[in-house]
Amino acid sequence: MRYAIVIEQGPNNCSGYILDVLGCVATGETPEEVKQLLQEAIVFHLEGEEIPPSTTLVDYIEFEPEAKG
């Protein structure tokens, strides 16, 4: 099963969470470390629980800011 994750760069570290698994979060020094920690965390987070389906869709939009002048 695949889940969409969000990883955010902060001033001192990175943090991430799994969109379809409420409360499953991790922090680390790099995005790669956060991803690895999330993969480990979901196993413990869902232990003994029903596995929720992945329902989140991820995409990007284009944005062109207007020139200030």
Side-chain angles (χ1 to χ4, degrees):
M1 183 167 297
R2 293 175 58 165
Y3 287 104
I5 64 173
V6 173
I7 298 176
E8 300 171 331
Q9 180 67 54
N12 300 317
N13 66 353
C14 296
S15 62
Y17 55 96
I18 301 174
L19 294 168
D20 291 314
V21 183
L22 185 63
C24 191
V25 300
T27 62
E29 292 184 16
T30 66
E32 294 78 17
E33 182 181 12
V34 171
K35 185 175 179 180
Q36 178 62 42
L37 291 170
L38 285 172
Q39 288 175 322
E40 296 170 10
I42 194 169
V43 172
F44 296 107
H45 193 80
L46 295 177
E47 189 174 15
E49 301 288 329
E50 183 177 334
I51 307 298
S54 177
T55 59
T56 299
L57 301 175
V58 178
D59 204 345
Y60 290 88
I61 61 170
E62 296 293 329
F63 172 72
E64 295 292 331
E66 293 182 21
K68 295 184 179 184

